[in-house]
Amino acid sequence: MGTKKRGVAFFEGSSWFHRIKVLRSDGTVNYTKKGGYSTEEEAIAGYKKYEAEFKEDKRKYQMTHTVNADIGLFDYLVYWLEEVYTPRIENTTKAVAAYTLYNLIEPHLNKEIKLKYVNVDVLDDLLLQVSKESESAGNKSREIMSIAFKDAITQGYIITNPMPHTKTYPRKKPSVTILSKEKLKVFLKAAHDNNWYLEILLAVFCGLRKGEILGLKFSDFDIENKSVTIERQISNNPTVVKGSAKIEDYSIIEKPPKTENSYRTIRVPDIIIEELEKRRELVSSYIDKEGNNFIHNDYVSCQTNGLSHSTSAMNTALNKISSRNGLPKITPHSLRHQYATILLE
């Protein structure tokens, strides 16, 4: 059953839920939900109870935590990024936030202005200057500062939040190329003898994300039932130097799929099963060649030493195929959209 929303309570799955706010130890807020209620009335009563507890926890926090009322805007943003925001986000998000603060916002920010004196005019002027840096700079900077100012309210640094009243900047729309049937045939024919052919088929005919493809293992495939189960993805894991946007280490890690719904089992066409067996033979040749130097991770898509490819390797391969065959630029995300188009047709 779908989600039925009504007031503060909503029905999901087999029970009633309500939203809940929980105050973290650092004064920031965690937004989640609580369910298991038999009726809407019980869910509403639960909401009121938890809301009252949250308000009391917030009052106690503000009473027991003294803040520097004269802290500068930039000093607060640095403190917020490094001490408040970083503990609750992934390294990839930290890298983007650090770049936004130190490379986009800081060069245009008046470091003398106090956080408590910041108003809409000050922020609009700042964001206008930042927006000139790139097409997405204004949107990303406003997004980061909006989160920071919400936390500043919770922590008691400011009384009112001016960010919601600032000028918005449109988000840069990702470029997605959908090939016609004729051009798709040209693309697949050109990709047939390429080392990335199996990965391309998994994107076009199964709609897998790039990270999911890179994270696939031979054990994820059920040859008898011609299916594949998605249980992980490969992702970048940059380590950012504290107080800067500099990345000191850049590793590749396994992590859970993007969302709970991303755990799934998908039927695969015969061509993928055929190419999978060819890939198994190729990986076996890697093992014979590398011997003890081969890293046995069971990856379907791997380098000659058994380690996962970099997250940019598939993009590079697609660019080469496209440019050599007079096709528009194609990305793994484009292939995922191609799959959706095929389903619709």
Side-chain angles (χ1 to χ4, degrees), residues 5 41 48 106 206 220 254 288:
K5 293 190 177 181
E41 289 71 23
K48 292 179 179 178
E106 181 181 0
C206 295
D220 295 326
E254 279 187 16
D288 293 339

Side-chain angles (χ1 to χ4, degrees), residues 195-259:
N195 290 336
W196 288 87
Y197 187 48
L198 175 57
E199 288 82 351
I200 289 169
L201 294 177
L202 287 164
V204 173
F205 295 114
C206 295
L208 301 192
R209 299 179 176 91
K210 178 174 66 174
E212 294 170 343
I213 294 172
L214 296 179
L216 283 178
K217 301 188 177 186
F218 286 102
S219 58
D220 295 326
F221 285 85
D222 184 335
I223 304 301
E224 182 177 350
N225 293 310
K226 297 180 181 178
S227 65
V228 61
T229 300
I230 311 304
E231 295 184 340
R232 75 195 68 80
Q233 64 173 322
I234 293 296
S235 177
N236 293 325
N237 186 43
T239 302
V240 182
V241 176
K242 189 172 183 178
S244 76
K246 181 181 178 182
I247 296 177
E248 63 180 350
D249 182 55
Y250 207 86
S251 59
I252 303 293
I253 61 169
E254 279 187 16
K255 57 188 285 190
K258 189 174 182 179
T259 66

Side-chain angles (χ1 to χ4, degrees), residues 23 137 243 280 293 306 335:
L23 194 67
R280 199 189 301 273
N293 294 325
L335 297 182

Side-chain angles (χ1 to χ4, degrees), residues 119-295:
N119 55 32
V120 175
D121 291 337
V122 170
L123 293 171
D124 273 339
D125 182 64
L126 171 62
L127 291 172
L128 176 62
Q129 299 305 314
V130 173
S131 68
K132 298 175 183 178
E133 295 288 342
S134 69
E135 188 176 350
S136 60
N139 176 273
K140 179 54 66 174
S141 297
R142 187 174 185 273
E143 176 187 314
I144 292 297
M145 292 185 69
S146 293
I147 302 172
F149 271 75
K150 283 182 181 178
D151 287 339
I153 285 281
T154 301
Q155 294 175 299
Y157 282 95
I158 54 177
I159 299 174
T160 58
N161 184 358
M163 282 304 303
H165 306 290
T166 58
K167 177 186 174 182
T168 59
Y169 289 84
R171 184 177 182 178
K172 181 181 179 182
K173 294 182 179 180
S175 176
V176 178
T177 300
I178 304 298
L179 300 176
S180 65
K181 289 182 180 179
E182 292 71 22
K183 288 188 176 181
L184 179 59
K185 289 179 182 178
V186 172
F187 173 73
L188 291 176
K189 184 177 180 180
H192 183 270
D193 296 323
N194 190 278
N195 290 336
W196 288 87
Y197 187 48
L198 175 57
E199 288 82 351
I200 289 169
L201 294 177
L202 287 164
V204 173
F205 295 114
C206 295
L208 301 192
R209 299 179 176 91
K210 178 174 66 174
E212 294 170 343
I213 294 172
L214 296 179
L216 283 178
K217 301 188 177 186
F218 286 102
S219 58
D220 295 326
F221 285 85
D222 184 335
I223 304 301
E224 182 177 350
N225 293 310
K226 297 180 181 178
S227 65
V228 61
T229 300
I230 311 304
E231 295 184 340
R232 75 195 68 80
Q233 64 173 322
I234 293 296
S235 177
N236 293 325
N237 186 43
T239 302
V240 182
V241 176
K242 189 172 183 178
S244 76
K246 181 181 178 182
I247 296 177
E248 63 180 350
D249 182 55
Y250 207 86
S251 59
I252 303 293
I253 61 169
E254 279 187 16
K255 57 188 285 190
K258 189 174 182 179
T259 66
E260 283 297 318
N261 291 334
S262 296
Y263 286 95
R264 61 203 189 278
T265 297
I266 301 170
R267 295 276 294 177
V268 297
D270 291 339
I271 182 62
I272 288 180
I273 298 299
E274 294 172 11
E275 290 300 321
L276 180 67
E277 293 309 310
K278 293 179 182 178
R279 181 60 59 83
R280 199 189 301 273
E281 293 176 5
L282 178 63
V283 173
S284 294
S285 71
Y286 292 164
I287 296 173
D288 293 339
K289 181 179 180 181
E290 296 291 332
N292 293 333
N293 294 325
F294 188 86
I295 310 299

Side-chain angles (χ1 to χ4, degrees), residues 53-89:
E53 290 178 357
F54 171 77
K55 288 180 179 179
E56 179 60 18
D57 289 342
K58 183 177 178 181
R59 186 191 68 80
K60 289 180 179 178
Y61 182 90
Q62 291 177 337
M63 290 292 292
T64 56
H65 289 71
T66 58
V67 298
N68 178 7
D70 291 322
I71 189 171
L73 171 58
F74 179 68
D75 290 336
Y76 174 75
L77 290 175
V78 171
Y79 155 73
W80 167 80
L81 173 62
E82 304 296 350
E83 307 299 334
V84 179
Y85 193 46
T86 294
R88 66 184 198 236
I89 58 176

Side-chain angles (χ1 to χ4, degrees), residues 9-61:
F10 58 93
F11 194 82
E12 187 174 280
S14 59
S15 68
W16 282 90
F17 284 74
H18 64 76
R19 297 294 174 189
I20 180 175
K21 293 183 289 187
V22 179
L23 194 67
R24 298 188 180 95
S25 59
D26 64 0
T28 56
V29 181
N30 178 43
Y31 294 88
T32 182
K33 61 184 178 181
K34 181 171 177 59
Y37 296 101
S38 301
T39 66
E40 181 182 13
E41 289 71 23
E42 289 181 7
I44 293 174
Y47 170 81
K48 292 179 179 178
K49 174 178 175 291
Y50 278 98
E51 185 69 10
E53 290 178 357
F54 171 77
K55 288 180 179 179
E56 179 60 18
D57 289 342
K58 183 177 178 181
R59 186 191 68 80
K60 289 180 179 178
Y61 182 90

